[in-house]
C-alpha cells in the first residue's frame, strides 16, 4: 500500500511538472520558444536536452525546477526510444504473420479506422493488449505531433 501511495505521488509530481512546463511563460523576445514548445523540439530531435536545460534557465525557472524538468524530459525521451524499439520488433513480428503495420497505421491516418479499432485489429492479429495499446499510443502521439509513428 505504501508503494502504491509513493507511485501515485510520483505520478502526480510528474504531471504537475509537465503542466508547469507547458504553462511556463514565454521568453521576452518573440523569437524564443516557450518551454513546452522547446520540449517538443527536443522530442523531435531538433534540439538537445542540454539546450533544453539552458532554455529552462533562460526563461527563469529555479534550479530545482530546471533539474525536475530536465529529468522528466529525459525520462520521456528514454521511454519513447524504448517504445520505438519495441514497435520495430512488433513490426517484424506482424510482417511474419503477413500483417502490414504501415497499412493499419495508414488507415488511422486517413480516418478509415479509429485508434480503438486499430488497437482491436492488432489484438485480433495476435498482439498482447499491452503491445497493441503501446502501438496505439505511439500512433496517437505521432498524429498529435503531425508526424509518423516510425
Amino acid at each position: 500500500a505504501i508503494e502504491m501511495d509513493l507511485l501515485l505521488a510520483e505520478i502526480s509530481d510528474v504531471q504537475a511538472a509537465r503542466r508547469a512546463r507547458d504553462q511556463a511563460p514565454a521568453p521576452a523576445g518573440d523569437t524564443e520558444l516557450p518551454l513546452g514548445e522547446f520540449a517538443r523540439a527536443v522530442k523531435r530531435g531538433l534540439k538537445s536536452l542540454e539546450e533544453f536545460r539552458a532554455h529552462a534557465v533562460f526563461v527563469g525557472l529555479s534550479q530545482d525546477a530546471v533539474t525536475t524538468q530536465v529529468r522528466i524530459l529525459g525520462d520521456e525521451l528514454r521511454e519513447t526510444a524504448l517504445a520505438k524499439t519495441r514497435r520495430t520488433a512488433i513490426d517484424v513480428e506482424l510482417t511474419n504473420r503477413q500483417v502490414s503495420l504501415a497499412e493499419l497505421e495508414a488507415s488511422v491516418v486517413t480516418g478509415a479506422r479509429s485508434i480503438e479499432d486499430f488497437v482491436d485489429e492488432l489484438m485480433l492479429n495476435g498482439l498482447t493488449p499491452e503491445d497493441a495499446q503501446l502501438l496505439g499510443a505511439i500512433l496517437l502521439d505521432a498524429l498529435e505531433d503531425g508526424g509518423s509513428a516510425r
Side-chain angles (χ1 to χ4, degrees), residues 42-55:
V42 172
K43 290 178 184 180
R44 289 185 192 119
L46 303 173
K47 300 285 185 182
S48 71
L49 197 55
E50 282 308 310
E51 288 173 307
F52 176 80
R53 177 188 306 277
H55 193 68

Side-chain angles (χ1 to χ4, degrees), residues 48-125:
S48 71
L49 197 55
E50 282 308 310
E51 288 173 307
F52 176 80
R53 177 188 306 277
H55 193 68
V57 170
F58 176 74
V59 299
L61 294 184
S62 71
Q63 190 57 47
D64 284 345
V66 169
T67 300
T68 299
Q69 292 298 330
V70 169
R71 179 183 54 81
I72 289 170
L73 185 54
D75 289 347
E76 290 173 352
L77 292 172
R78 280 185 290 285
E79 289 168 7
T80 299
L82 290 172
K84 286 182 178 182
T85 299
R86 181 65 188 136
R87 183 201 175 280
T88 300
I90 293 168
D91 190 18
V92 170
E93 183 181 326
L94 288 173
T95 300
N96 290 336
R97 295 181 193 167
Q98 308 299 313
V99 176
S100 170
L101 181 56
E103 287 177 12
L104 290 173
E105 290 171 340
S107 69
V108 175
V109 172
T110 62
R113 183 187 310 262
S114 70
I115 289 286
E116 293 80 15
D117 291 342
F118 171 77
V119 170
D120 290 344
E121 183 68 25
L122 291 170
M123 288 188 294
L124 287 173
N125 282 289

